[in-house]
Amino acid sequence: PASLGLWVRCYAMAGYGRRHVTSGIRGADDTRPQVQITDLCVHSQDDLSGGRTMTQFQLTRQGAILDPPVMPAPGPYYTCLVDMRQVVGFPGDYALYFSTDHENGDGGIWLYVCDGSPTDPAAWQSYDEAAAAGRFDHVKDRPAGNPIFRDPHQGTGHTETPHANVIDGVVYMTYHKNGIERTQRTLLATSTDG
């Protein structure tokens, strides 16, 4: 459940260490700190009652940055925002990589490009729009449209859950692919053009 995922993430961010959580429901004998979300600010119950000190993560809601693209349900999954200003020739300041969720047919890794502030919805363009405008014309053998990456060489089925970082001008993207040794594996792709 979403609340269980949030519970685990809050523990990980707060540095409480590894916990085995079997339920998102709090029992009367549960001694874990209760987590409260107030305008995306994470506190533990102990913080609120003057007990143990915990780091607080202040996050400010910015709203939607793009309209959901036409893609298999449930829509953009596992988004990853990347500063692309070190990638020579990339036609934008930021990239947003995301995937479909376990979609074998039309699945893959998708790309949106941002010029300017990533909090400004008007600054975003889909890869399809950017390619149609000629912004990727310098890339030889570029994809025709989203999704920009499917791994047809390893395993079978979906290519999903991208996470990318730029190191020395090269994009390093990890992703998951199923059907390798009867399980899902984490793989690595690199790119000098995004």
Side-chain angles (χ1 to χ4, degrees), residues 53-189:
T53 303
M54 176 180 140
T55 303
Q56 297 180 19
F57 298 89
Q58 300 290 333
L59 304 171
T60 304
R61 296 175 205 209
Q62 299 295 321
I65 57 172
L66 52 97
D67 290 327
V70 176
M71 65 186 299
Y77 176 70
Y78 213 86
T79 58
C80 180
L81 178 65
V82 183
D83 186 336
M84 300 295 280
R85 293 175 285 190
Q86 289 183 17
V87 180
V88 175
F90 187 80
D93 299 321
Y94 299 92
L96 183 69
Y97 296 98
F98 55 89
S99 69
T100 50
D101 183 16
H102 297 293
E103 171 61 40
N104 290 330
D106 295 324
I109 309 295
W110 294 54
L111 172 65
Y112 270 63
V113 178
C114 177
D115 287 316
S117 173
T119 62
D120 179 5
W124 288 95
Q125 241 184 350
S126 72
Y127 170 80
D128 303 73
E129 294 166 327
R135 297 180 68 193
F136 284 92
D137 283 353
H138 65 286
V139 179
K140 185 182 176 187
D141 300 325
R142 66 188 170 276
N146 271 319
I148 61 156
F149 180 69
R150 288 186 183 121
D151 184 343
H153 305 290
Q154 303 176 86
T156 58
H158 61 264
T159 302
E160 66 174 19
T161 57
H163 185 81
N165 282 299
V166 175
I167 303 169
D168 296 328
V170 177
V171 178
Y172 290 79
M173 181 180 66
T174 57
Y175 61 97
H176 290 125
K177 179 78 178 179
N178 68 337
I180 300 172
E181 299 170 358
R182 299 183 324 190
T183 189
Q184 179 171 286
R185 295 281 188 218
T186 300
L187 303 169
L188 175 69

Side-chain angles (χ1 to χ4, degrees), residues 11 14-16 19 31-34 43-56:
Y11 274 92
Y16 285 112
R19 298 261 198 249
T31 59
R32 293 174 297 191
Q34 182 178 0
H43 303 275
S44 74
Q45 184 63 39
D46 289 339
D47 289 338
L48 299 175
S49 63
R52 179 177 55 236
T53 303
M54 176 180 140
T55 303
Q56 297 180 19

